[in-house]
Amino acid sequence: MALRPVQVNIKALDDSLVGRFWAEALGWGVSSEGPGVTNVEPGAGFVWPDPVAVCIDVVTVPEPKAASKNRVHLDLATTSAAHQAELVARLRALGATPADVGQGDVLFQVLADPEGNEFCVLEPREIYRDTGPIAVVVVDCVDPRVMARFWGEALDWSLHEVTDDHAVLRSTAGVGPYLEFLRTPGVKTVPDRVHLDLLPYPGDDQKVEAARLRALGATDLDLGQGDVPWMCLADPEGHEFCILGTS
C-alpha cells in the first residue's frame, strides 16, 4: 500500500486566470473537469497519472490569499542563466510580480502569480535537469526529520536526503519533480492555499490508506468539504492534503 502525489491543488478567486497563468508558465495545456476548476497538465502524450509530472488543479474559493507567505510553493527549473532571465521576463509579462519573502541576496528569483502565490525561478542546477518545468514542490516545516518519517511512509517515493534543515523525496521511477520539506522560521497559522493531492494505486482502498496515514500521525480535516469523493487530512505539522478516489 502506498500513495503517489499526482497534483498540486491551488485555491484561487479566479481559477481560469490562475490556471491560464500556470499553463503558460509551464508550457502545459488547460482543461476543466467542471465549473470552478481548471486543470493544468502536460500536453500530447501525457496520460494522468504519470510520475513524470505532478499536475496542477486550480480550484475557485471565495476567500482571497492571506497576507502571509504560503507554506507550500513551486520551484521552477532552468537550464542556463539566459533561460532563467528569459523565463523571469516572460512570467512578468504574464502577470507575475517580484516577491520578497526574506530571501536576501540569492541566485534564484522569487515571484508571485497573479493572485500572490509565491514561487521561485531557480538558477540552473544540474540535479534538476531532468525534472521537467517544475523542479521541486517545497513545503515549509518546523522539523524536516518528522516530515521525512511521515511522508517517507505515506508515499511510494524514495527518500533521497534527510538533515536537520531539509528532507528530499522523489518518485522511485527517477522522473518528475522532487518534494522537499524545508526548515523555516515560524509555524503554520492559516489554512494552506496550496496543497498536495494524493492518489491510491488501483486496487488499494482509499479509506484503508487514510487509516494507515492516521496511524502515522495524520489527522482528519473538516474544511466544509461536505460529501465529496476525496478525503481531507493534515500531516503531523498541520499541512492539508487530500486522498483522491480511484474511480
Side-chain angles (χ1 to χ4, degrees):
M1 293 187 297
L3 293 162
R4 46 202 163 142
V6 291
Q7 58 202 27
V8 173
N9 185 294
I10 302 176
K11 297 179 177 69
L13 294 173
D14 186 337
D15 66 280
S16 179
L17 172 70
V18 175
R20 287 196 307 272
F21 170 84
W22 282 104
E24 291 287 344
L26 303 175
W28 290 359
V30 294
S31 60
S32 179
E33 63 197 65
V37 181
T38 298
N39 312 110
V40 182
E41 61 182 43
F46 178 81
V47 179
W48 186 92
D50 187 324
V52 73
V54 173
C55 300
I56 294 177
D57 259 20
V58 186
V59 180
T60 292
V61 295
E63 306 85 8
K65 179 182 180 291
S68 58
K69 172 182 175 291
N70 286 340
R71 300 284 289 177
V72 181
H73 74 267
L74 301 179
D75 284 353
L76 305 188
T78 63
T79 56
S80 67
H83 180 207
Q84 183 188 27
E86 181 277 328
L87 180 56
V88 168
R90 186 165 63 82
L91 293 169
R92 293 284 300 273
L94 291 170
T97 53
D100 185 353
V101 294
Q103 67 268 24
D105 186 14
V106 292
L107 295 177
F108 55 86
Q109 296 281 326
V110 183
L111 302 174
D113 74 14
E115 289 199 5
N117 299 298
E118 302 89 357
F119 64 96
C120 298
V121 180
L122 301 179
E123 76 281 4
R125 302 182 190 182
E126 186 63 32
I127 191 174
Y128 301 140
R129 285 191 175 272
D130 64 348
T131 61
I134 300 175
V136 196
V137 180
V138 181
V139 182
D140 294 350
C141 68
V142 175
D143 191 335
R145 294 188 184 277
V146 169
M147 294 292 96
R149 284 194 294 272
F150 174 81
W151 287 95
E153 292 288 337
L155 306 180
D156 68 338
W157 284 22
S158 299
L159 191 59
H160 282 238
E161 185 178 3
V162 184
T163 71
D164 288 342
D165 294 320
H166 68 274
V168 180
L169 298 92
R170 195 187 191 195
S171 167
T172 54
V175 296
Y178 289 80
L179 175 62
E180 180 176 10
F181 296 91
L182 182 66
R183 180 186 291 276
T184 55
V187 296
K188 185 176 180 294
T189 57
V190 297
D192 290 330
R193 196 74 175 174
V194 183
H195 71 257
L196 283 170
D197 286 342
L198 314 179
L199 183 69
Y201 280 89
D204 286 348
D205 185 272
Q206 179 193 44
K207 292 182 179 179
V208 171
E209 283 297 295
R212 184 176 68 86
L213 268 58
R214 290 187 199 103
L216 294 171
T219 53
D220 290 306
L221 193 64
D222 185 354
L223 299 171
Q225 65 267 22
D227 184 17
V228 293
W230 59 87
M231 301 180 70
C232 299
L233 291 91
D235 72 15
E237 288 198 7
H239 300 100
E240 298 92 350
F241 64 92
C242 294
I243 303 177
L244 305 179
T246 55
S247 59

